[in-house]
Amino acid sequence: MRRALRTWIAILATLCLAAACVSYPAPPAPSKYERAWNAALGGVQDAGVTIMHAEPNSGLIRGTKNGIDVTVTVTRLPDGAVKVQFDSKGETKNDPQLPDRFSQAYERRMGR
């Protein structure tokens, strides 16, 4: 009787362990464009820009900081690369380091 009970316990334990061994496929890695877009959006925020408009489909981010109008454009290039361009206009003397802060934040978020 004890031997049968041990056998059933061993079978039950094996089934429980087998049921716990479930693996799920990893989510797909973000595309180059998605990585660049997310890094640009976060980089603008890290630089202290208040975002007024962000549209990932068009690749356009617009915002403002201390009287400076900021536009960041993320563009897919024909060769598969991605171009990120930062432009500012207005009272740039109020924060002359803004483009550098954005660039550093963007590079950091891209893991460079």
Side-chain angles (χ1 to χ4, degrees):
M1 187 73 152
R2 283 187 168 181
R3 188 173 177 184
L5 182 60
R6 284 187 201 153
T7 302
W8 280 109
I9 290 173
I11 291 170
L12 183 58
T14 302
L15 290 174
C16 287
L17 287 174
C21 295
V22 176
S23 65
Y24 298 96
S31 69
K32 287 182 185 180
Y33 180 84
E34 290 170 323
R35 284 190 65 229
W37 169 263
N38 290 330
L41 187 62
V44 168
Q45 292 170 325
D46 291 351
V49 175
T50 301
I51 296 173
M52 309 304 278
H53 175 81
E55 178 56 47
N57 292 333
S58 67
L60 186 63
I61 302 168
R62 290 192 180 161
T64 185
K65 168 93 163 94
N66 295 336
I68 303 169
D69 293 325
V70 172
T71 302
V72 177
T73 308
V74 182
T75 308
R76 291 178 180 97
L77 299 177
D79 66 356
V82 178
K83 177 183 173 187
V84 177
Q85 183 172 334
F86 179 94
D87 295 302
S88 60
K89 62 182 172 180
E91 298 295 322
T92 56
K93 66 180 181 245
N94 290 344
D95 193 348
Q97 300 304 315
L98 181 58
D100 291 334
R101 282 200 319 277
F102 166 75
S103 180
Q104 290 168 2
Y106 172 78
E107 293 294 328
R108 185 177 57 252
R109 286 177 171 269
M110 287 297 286
R112 300 181 195 157

